[in-house]
Amino acid sequence: MKSNETSNQWEIAIRFFFLSILVFGFLYPLSVTGISQTLFPFQANGSLVVSQGNTIGSELLAQKFNTENMFLYRPSAANYNTIPSGASNLSPSSSHLKTLVETRKSELRSLGLRPDRCPELLYASGSGLDPHISVTCAREQAEYLSQHSKVPLEVIHELIDKNTEYPLFGMIGQKRVNVTKLNVSWKQLKDE
């Protein structure tokens, strides 16, 4: 009698195992993918930024621009690489972090930018891939870019305003600028 109960329990466990694989391994992912592709195709496909027919990245990720006179991203501890992305894990008391911050302050000053207006450009984000900066920092960079590109400051401010993202429902998060989208718009403006 006891062996019948044991074999019955094994049979139930095996059936449940294969049913779980079917439901959670195939049906659920396929249904979620279908719903997301139907309702949110842009986001489901990676929020890709396309410029002049070429995919140049995702608006969710910062990337390394090799071109000068572009808006700056936050520093990246992983050099903007998505595979080993992450923070530097340096503590506030780290002498290496202090040296990095001082170096970054000097670099900003050499560009004519005030570090107190762009504190996010001194520290890497937690992921190392955050594409957002504050509106204040974007406007600070606009002055520098206007001087070096001869594009009127008002035009650059309009560009910043067009690429500003507002808090969700007007209260969740902060007003911020997506540098990836801003740099694409900035490059298109300069190429005209």
Side-chain angles (χ1 to χ4, degrees):
M1 180 89 174
K2 193 168 189 172
S3 65
N4 273 347
E5 285 180 25
T6 304
S7 67
N8 198 18
Q9 288 177 350
W10 274 104
E11 186 179 319
I12 292 170
I14 291 170
R15 284 182 183 176
F16 184 74
F17 173 74
F18 285 110
L19 181 64
S20 296
I21 287 176
L22 178 67
V23 171
F24 298 118
F26 295 104
L27 298 178
Y28 177 74
L30 287 174
S31 62
V32 169
T33 301
I35 291 168
S36 63
Q37 286 290 341
T38 303
L39 299 178
F40 311 104
F42 177 72
Q43 292 86 348
N45 291 309
S47 303
L48 299 177
V49 177
V50 179
S51 176
Q52 299 171 348
N54 297 320
T55 302
I56 58 168
S58 170
E59 67 181 42
L60 303 173
L61 302 171
Q63 57 185 303
K64 191 170 192 167
F65 274 97
N66 295 326
T67 310
E68 288 185 15
N69 296 330
M70 300 292 275
F71 286 90
L72 301 173
Y73 289 100
R74 293 181 69 172
S76 173
N79 200 26
Y80 305 101
N81 193 339
T82 57
I83 301 298
S85 67
S88 66
N89 294 331
L90 298 173
S91 72
S93 61
S94 168
S95 61
H96 182 60
L97 179 62
K98 290 177 185 175
T99 303
L100 280 174
V101 169
E102 289 306 316
T103 302
R104 291 170 183 158
K105 280 183 181 179
S106 298
E107 290 170 358
L108 291 178
R109 287 187 187 110
S110 71
L111 296 173
L113 303 174
R114 295 172 287 184
D116 61 314
R117 306 254 308 154
C118 292
E120 62 265 40
L121 297 183
L122 302 177
Y123 299 94
S125 66
S127 68
L129 300 170
D130 184 10
H132 296 98
I133 60 173
S134 66
V135 176
T136 304
C137 185
R139 289 186 182 275
E140 177 73 13
Q141 293 182 60
E143 294 178 27
Y144 166 80
L145 293 172
S146 176
Q147 292 171 358
H148 288 83
S149 67
K150 306 300 184 227
V151 175
L153 188 59
E154 301 77 37
V155 173
I156 300 174
H157 282 181
E158 287 175 21
L159 202 61
I160 291 169
D161 292 340
K162 286 179 187 174
N163 288 285
T164 298
E165 298 173 1
Y166 294 89
L168 186 64
F169 306 120
M171 61 183 169
I172 300 173
Q174 298 179 5
K175 196 161 84 164
R176 62 204 180 276
V177 178
N178 187 307
V179 181
T180 302
K181 294 192 305 187
L182 181 59
N183 275 336
V184 169
S185 301
W186 171 242
K187 189 169 182 338
Q188 289 172 347
L189 178 73
K190 288 194 315 179
D191 291 345
E192 290 177 354

